[in-house]
């Protein structure tokens, strides 16, 4: 992952601009399963970009759950002291897709798959 980070450094201004545009109100659609696969297959560093996207999705879902817990809502998944690291994003995503291949279509958002993976792997026990 360190090599991938070094590869992204020259693109940092473009990434920051994209983030700023998002903050100003430009809407962006979530990446679909098909788009993620295309990114991996067709871009020079596509696998690294896809990995970073999956990590971002994982961290966004985790933050959403923590926010809902702070507001007293019942979370869809619970970490409960178990290990969940950014490096696990790709394996969670791929495992969910392979286990439930008939549940997902190529035009569905990656976030849907990752949310399903987290619900299935980190069930709430309390």
């Amino acid at each position: 992952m360190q090599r991938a980070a070094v590869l992204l450094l020259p693109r940092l201004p473009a990434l920051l601009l994209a983030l700023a545009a998002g903050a100003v109100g430009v809407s962006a659609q979530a990446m679909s399963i098909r788009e993620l696969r295309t990114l991996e297959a067709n871009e020079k560093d596509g696998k690294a970009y896809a990995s970073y996207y999956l990590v971002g999705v994982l961290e966004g879902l985790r933050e959403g759950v923590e926010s809902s817990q702070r507001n007293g809502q019942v979370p869809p998944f619970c970490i409960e002291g178990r290990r969940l690291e950014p490096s696990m994003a790709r394996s969670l995503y791929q495992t969910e897709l392979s286990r439930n291949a008939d549940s997902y279509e190529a035009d569905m958002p990656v976030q849907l798959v990752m949310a399903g993976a987290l619900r299935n792997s980190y069930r709430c026990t309390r």
Side-chain angles (χ1 to χ4, degrees):
M1 286 303 244
Q2 288 178 339
R3 181 176 177 270
V6 169
L7 293 172
L8 285 176
L9 284 178
R11 294 178 175 85
L12 190 58
L15 292 172
L16 292 175
L17 182 60
L19 288 173
V24 174
V26 175
S27 66
Q29 292 181 348
M31 190 178 298
S32 70
I33 297 167
R34 181 188 325 272
E35 291 167 331
L36 187 72
R37 288 176 180 157
T38 302
L39 174 67
E40 287 179 313
N42 296 338
E43 295 292 324
K44 178 182 172 201
D45 297 320
K47 186 119 173 141
Y49 296 154
S51 292
Y52 277 108
Y53 185 79
L54 291 171
V55 168
V57 170
L58 173 73
E59 290 177 349
L61 290 169
R62 186 174 186 171
E63 178 55 36
V65 163
E66 290 172 1
S67 176
S68 68
Q69 286 178 313
R70 286 190 297 269
N71 294 329
Q73 298 170 336
V74 177
F77 64 91
C78 301
I79 306 302
E80 296 175 342
R82 293 176 278 184
R83 184 174 156 250
L84 178 60
E85 298 175 3
S87 62
M88 298 167 65
R90 179 171 291 283
S91 64
L92 282 166
Y93 173 78
Q94 290 176 330
T95 301
E96 177 67 13
L97 273 181
S98 63
R99 282 186 186 159
N100 300 302
D102 56 331
S103 299
Y104 298 108
E105 295 178 12
D107 292 323
M108 291 181 166
V110 169
Q111 287 86 337
L112 183 67
V113 179
M114 188 65 77
L118 292 169
R119 261 192 323 277
N120 292 329
S121 298
Y122 294 90
R123 295 180 191 267
C124 297
T125 60
R126 295 179 202 172

